[in-house]
Amino acid sequence: MVGVRGQEEHDLSGGDIPVPKLGRVIVALTTFGYLALAISSMAARHVATRTIGFGIPILILLFLLQNLHSLPNRGGARPRYWIWTLSAQGLLTYIPFLSFEESWVGMPGFFSGSLLLWLPGAWGWISSGSVSLSLFLIEKHFGADSFTSFYYACGAAIIGLSIFGLTRLVDLLVEVQRARAELARLAVAQERDRVARDLHDLLGYSLSAITLKGELVYRLVSSQPERACEEISTMLAISRQALSDVRMVASSYRDMSLAAEIAATRAVLVSADIATMVTVDCGPLQDRVNTVLSTVLREGVSNLLRHSKAQHCVIEVVLDKGAVRLRLENDGLSSPPPVPTRRDGRGLDNLCTRLGELGGTLNAAAAEDGWFRLVALVPLAGSGA
């Protein structure tokens, strides 16, 4: 189980997502296609075979440099060697014009695309435009008319934009994949937090009540066996409810009834010889408010049973200026609870998270008179959000 979980986190981390192979192949095939056209152009212009043989290694170097510069998934970073490789591509683009003349007109387009990819901001566009202008002037130097010179200059610009567009398209595809992986990772993390919160909030009360009932049965089994049997029946009912709660956590957080929770809580407190006063005057509540306030009550009573020696308890649920207020008070607090130094996703932190989703607030503090007071407030307007 641990191995599967680790593999899942590794797969959803987004750090090792490969570059889409199809995008890389398309960029490489596009570059190779243009270079093949260059060789065909030299053959069509009846360039000497020895000269073509000299040009093929240069074309291969240009092919490798162009694919290096068009390598997707760079993430916007430029390695230290980029100025040298870009300069090498520039030299291999223009120097062969001395031998191949007009047969070399397709090569500046690749250099234009590399400039767009590697030079920042406006410098890339200015440099790319300069390449097209230089090709126009080169063609004029070789005796071409203005239309032909302009045609080849536009062709170089189109090749550069094609290389730039293809590479950026693959980059965007990689970014989308990373974003999806990150969203999946966050969804898994949120689901784990939800399960952890639900288990803590649902089982904390049940286990505390079972422990309390077990201690009571241990004291009563010899002196009052009939009452001990009654308490065992109650303890079994609580344990069955805890089992049902665990099963419900796997799918989603179940709806809870505040009225039923108050009744069960009162029974547990009375069996623990804690005088309990209950006041409920809030009318019917929405399911989400019912569930959240029931969870607050469970956590508060769990803390009462675990951390205090209370003799009296007050539970009050009333309407207060357009909001529902749950107040839980108990005496017997020996010392104020320590203030947590970090949020660990349990206890009162869970309650703050649940109430915050409804626009509510939670205040919990120990008073000087030895009473601990927990007040949860949920606005009725926010409860329907």
Side-chain angles (χ1 to χ4, degrees):
M1 187 68 179
V2 175
V4 173
R5 177 177 175 180
Q7 180 64 36
E8 176 185 315
E9 292 177 347
H10 176 76
D11 293 340
L12 297 179
S13 64
D16 299 326
I17 297 179
V19 177
K21 295 181 179 180
L22 180 60
R24 178 178 288 179
V25 169
I26 289 175
V27 173
L29 288 178
T30 302
T31 309
F32 180 78
Y34 281 122
L35 293 178
L37 288 176
I39 297 175
S40 301
S41 175
M42 287 188 289
R45 294 173 184 269
H46 304 290
V47 177
T49 304
R50 179 180 298 179
T51 306
I52 295 177
F54 171 71
I56 289 178
I58 300 178
L59 290 175
I60 293 175
L61 286 175
L62 283 175
F63 173 78
L64 295 175
L65 288 172
Q66 185 58 55
N67 279 274
L68 177 64
H69 295 154
S70 300
L71 186 65
N73 198 26
R74 291 183 297 107
R78 290 179 294 178
R80 296 179 181 179
Y81 60 78
W82 75 274
I83 188 66
W84 301 104
T85 57
L86 198 61
S87 300
Q89 186 177 1
L91 293 176
L92 293 175
T93 297
Y94 284 101
I95 291 178
F97 273 107
L98 300 176
S99 299
F100 297 99
E101 298 182 351
E102 291 181 296
S103 301
W104 201 254
V105 291
M107 297 303 103
F110 298 106
F111 186 51
S112 176
S114 296
L115 291 173
L116 286 174
L117 289 170
W118 289 84
L119 292 183
W123 289 106
W125 295 100
I126 294 174
S127 301
S128 177
S130 301
V131 170
S132 296
L133 179 60
S134 66
L135 185 57
F136 178 86
L137 298 176
I138 289 173
E139 284 297 300
K140 293 290 291 183
H141 173 74
F142 290 138
D145 55 56
S146 297
F147 176 79
T148 302
S149 301
F150 179 75
Y151 174 83
Y152 284 119
C154 289
I158 293 173
I159 293 174
L161 289 174
S162 299
I163 296 296
F164 174 75
L166 283 173
T167 304
R168 287 298 300 141
L169 185 62
V170 177
D171 286 343
L172 291 176
L173 182 60
V174 173
E175 292 175 9
V176 169
Q177 284 190 341
R178 285 179 172 170
R180 290 178 60 185
E182 180 65 16
L183 290 175
R185 187 190 66 80
L186 291 176
V188 171
Q190 290 174 356
E191 182 64 12
R192 286 174 180 162
D193 290 342
R194 181 192 70 80
V195 172
R197 287 197 306 267
D198 290 354
L199 285 175
H200 178 275
D201 294 342
L202 290 174
L203 295 183
Y205 164 79
S206 299
L207 295 178
S208 297
I210 290 172
T211 302
L212 176 66
K213 293 287 186 180
E215 293 174 350
L216 182 59
V217 168
Y218 181 79
R219 294 197 302 267
L220 296 176
V221 68
S222 58
S223 59
Q224 304 181 43
E226 294 183 358
R227 185 182 173 187
C229 290
E230 294 177 359
E231 296 297 338
I232 290 176
S233 299
T234 305
M235 185 167 61
L236 289 175
I238 296 174
S239 64
R240 293 190 186 100
Q241 182 61 56
L243 179 60
S244 175
D245 291 340
V246 171
R247 291 170 178 170
M248 295 298 295
V249 166
S251 57
S252 62
Y253 189 70
R254 70 183 185 92
D255 292 334
M256 300 170 63
S257 170
L258 181 60
E261 202 64 38
I262 290 176
T265 297
R266 183 174 185 176
V268 171
L269 293 176
V270 170
S271 66
D273 295 328
I274 300 176
T276 305
M277 183 176 66
V278 177
T279 302
V280 179
D281 185 16
C282 60
L285 300 175
Q286 295 182 3
D287 292 340
R288 293 187 65 189
V289 178
N290 250 328
T291 300
V292 171
L293 290 182
S294 299
T295 306
V296 173
L297 181 61
R298 275 197 175 194
E299 179 63 25
V301 174
S302 298
N303 289 336
L304 183 155
L305 297 175
R306 287 197 301 259
H307 304 306
S308 73
K309 299 178 181 179
Q311 299 297 319
H312 300 84
C313 178
V314 176
I315 301 174
E316 181 186 69
V317 184
V318 296
L319 295 178
D320 183 13
K321 299 179 181 179
V324 183
R325 186 185 68 206
L326 168 64
R327 180 168 62 92
L328 177 64
E329 298 183 357
N330 67 89
D331 62 354
L333 186 65
S334 57
S335 61
V339 178
T341 58
R342 64 181 181 90
R343 297 183 66 87
D344 55 5
R346 294 175 295 180
L348 297 181
D349 288 341
N350 287 351
L351 302 183
C352 290
T353 300
R354 297 186 188 280
L355 289 168
E357 294 175 354
L358 300 181
T361 59
L362 179 72
N363 292 308
E368 296 180 356
D369 56 4
W371 281 67
F372 186 84
R373 294 179 174 86
L374 183 149
V375 179
L377 198 66
V378 178
L380 294 179
S383 63

